[in-house]
Amino acid sequence: MADNDSRAGARYYNEAILDYTQRVHASHDAGLTRAFATPDGVPAIQLGMSEGKLVHLLVKMIGARKAVEVGTLVGYSGTQIARALAPGGHLWTCEFDPRHAELARANFAAAGVGDRVTIVVGPGVETLPTLNAHGPFDVVFIDADKQNYEHYGAWAIANLRPGGLVLGDNAFLFGQLCDDDARARAMRRFHEGVAAACDSVCIPTPDGLVLGIKR
Ligand code: DHB
Ligand code: MG
């Protein structure tokens, strides 16, 4: 493991450093503050603020115009993505829970991106194929039910343009990625599918973020 830098090397960050750098580089305006909040009954499972900013910058860096998100929650990552899109851009974001979708709709409007976001309500496995005709896409961000990542990853690879970006949150599967069960095996097939079709990496955010550029 001598060449595995995350095991061999020291980690120089701590809570104070993460708080400071998040505040300096990734602070929220009113729109992001609103979309980051999770009202009663909504799980606080959105991206962290620095991760949200990273996703924003990645989308901006590739000049993306057409994006798909799987897992809207109440619109935090969607706002980060939609605000990064080039002029005339559009985000289609898939959400299973109609109550989350309604909250997200209001949050997107308040963040000034209501006109460039379409929320598609239903199970991602069923709704993604309805988006094929809008593709090929520049970005697909996956942050939904973990047992279907393999499926979502395959859809992304089939519907991204060459040079398009696939992102997957929770790529460490809450620390269970290397377990010996069906869900972990499926998540590993997500990794392997992205790696086979893309130039890719998994970066050690708190729960892992996969990043791939389709060949
Ligand atoms: C859960 C889902 C997520 O996407 C996440 O980032 C953290 C937790 C969850 O389902 O518990
Ligand atoms: Mg997540």
Side-chain angles (χ1 to χ4, degrees), residues 161-182:
R161 66 163 166 89
L165 176 65
V166 57
L167 297 167
D169 188 38
N170 307 104
F172 294 159
L173 194 58
F174 317 115
Q176 294 157 9
L177 179 62
C178 294
D179 286 7
D180 184 24
D181 60 55

Side-chain angles (χ1 to χ4, degrees), residues 66-67 92 131-139 158-162 214:
K66 291 199 279 184
W92 290 265
L131 302 181
N132 290 13
H134 298 291
F137 299 97
D138 303 301
V139 180
N159 288 278
L160 279 169
R161 66 163 166 89
K214 184 181 161 180

Side-chain angles (χ1 to χ4, degrees), residues 59-82:
V59 172
K60 194 178 268 186
M61 275 177 202
I62 67 160
R65 232 174 46 77
K66 291 199 279 184
V68 171
E69 174 177 61
V70 194
T72 313
L73 196 64
V74 297
Y76 174 62
S77 47
T79 297
Q80 292 280 21
I81 293 166

Side-chain angles (χ1 to χ4, degrees), residues 44-47 143-144 146 149 169-170 174 207:
I45 56 173
Q46 68 283 72
L47 291 183
D143 191 11
K146 309 313 166 200
Y149 267 44
D169 188 38
N170 307 104
F174 317 115
D207 197 27

Side-chain angles (χ1 to χ4, degrees), residues 44-113:
I45 56 173
Q46 68 283 72
L47 291 183
M49 292 169 66
S50 292
E51 294 170 274
K53 186 66 180 286
L54 173 63
V55 168
H56 174 85
L57 291 175
L58 290 167
V59 172
K60 194 178 268 186
M61 275 177 202
I62 67 160
R65 232 174 46 77
K66 291 199 279 184
V68 171
E69 174 177 61
V70 194
T72 313
L73 196 64
V74 297
Y76 174 62
S77 47
T79 297
Q80 292 280 21
I81 293 166
R83 285 180 167 182
L85 296 173
H90 202 83
L91 168 67
W92 290 265
T93 181
C94 301
E95 174 55 42
F96 177 75
D97 187 321
R99 180 163 171 264
H100 295 170
E102 275 321 297
L103 293 164
R105 201 178 310 283
N107 288 339
F108 287 134
V113 294

